[in-house]
Amino acid sequence: SIGTMVKGVIGLVFEIVVLAGMVLGIAFNAAVVGSCELLSVRGFGTFGPWREAISDPGNCVSWSKDEAQYSDWLINMARATSLMAVIFGCLLTFFGFFKQCLCKLPCSQIILDVSGFGVQICLSLVWPIWRSQPCQTFGCEWGEAATFLLISQLCYLVASIFSRCMRDPRYVR
């Protein structure tokens, strides 16, 4: 019937939105982890949770929290939670893809909900890096990776919410 066809088309659109949101969320989240341009320290360079170009502006290098000139608990929290968000995002994508496209996995929807919530919490805990020591001492400005962080959080949010609106999984159709 027409109602079933419309429901199927709407479900397909949500399925595409969810899977695209998951993939884009991982891509932008990985860009945040690998970037040294999350924040721009006025007059000194840029830094991110795992990389910095403060000591040598223009030369983005990994930094060890033990050897860093500027390191505090907010930077360490951003380091840990940005990486945890990648893990939650991969878990969300794995279970979302398997649930929808391949086969039924135990507790799929619960794991999707928990990992979607976990990735939001983890990415939210990256934002306090704005109050870290370099920003308090010299002042910080929005960097390119801050936009990536925002986009990643929005992609995961959309994917998490609409994961309940997808059409029936392939193994049911």
Side-chain angles (χ1 to χ4, degrees):
S1 78
I2 301 238
T4 305
M5 188 171 75
V6 169
K7 182 180 174 187
V9 169
I10 292 172
L12 174 65
V13 169
F14 282 132
E15 186 175 315
I16 292 168
V17 166
V18 167
L19 294 175
M22 291 174 180
V23 171
L24 288 172
I26 289 174
F28 282 108
N29 193 355
V32 170
V33 170
S35 175
C36 64
E37 294 185 6
L38 182 64
L39 297 174
S40 176
V41 181
R42 292 187 187 116
F44 285 93
T46 59
F47 74 100
W50 291 93
R51 300 172 61 79
E52 60 93 13
I54 295 175
S55 55
D56 184 13
N59 186 21
C60 186
V61 295
S62 296
W63 59 345
S64 165
K65 67 179 183 177
D66 300 326
E67 299 172 10
Q69 181 180 0
Y70 300 104
S71 184
D72 61 14
W73 70 274
L74 290 168
I75 293 173
N76 292 336
M77 179 178 67
R79 291 169 67 103
T81 58
S82 65
L83 201 54
M84 285 172 46
V86 171
I87 294 167
F88 275 122
C90 289
L91 192 65
L92 178 73
T93 304
F94 176 81
F95 275 88
F97 181 76
F98 263 76
K99 175 187 176 226
Q100 199 60 28
C101 301
L102 298 177
C103 62
K104 186 175 184 175
L105 294 175
C107 306
S108 289
Q109 191 60 51
I110 293 170
I111 293 172
L112 284 171
D113 294 341
V114 169
S115 58
F117 181 72
V119 78
Q120 288 299 318
I121 295 297
C122 289
L123 289 176
S124 295
L125 290 173
V126 174
W127 290 108
I129 199 171
W130 282 75
R131 304 296 294 169
S132 63
Q133 183 186 1
C135 292
Q136 292 300 304
T137 305
F138 305 107
C140 286
E141 296 172 354
W142 187 275
E144 182 180 63
T147 304
F148 296 162
L149 178 60
L150 180 62
I151 292 170
S152 176
Q153 206 162 5
L154 291 173
C155 286
Y156 282 134
L157 181 65
V158 166
S160 297
I161 289 171
F162 292 122
S163 70
R164 294 186 160 269
C165 302
M166 296 187 288
R167 62 186 174 164
D168 290 335
R170 184 174 191 175
Y171 58 86
V172 173
R173 288 184 259 143

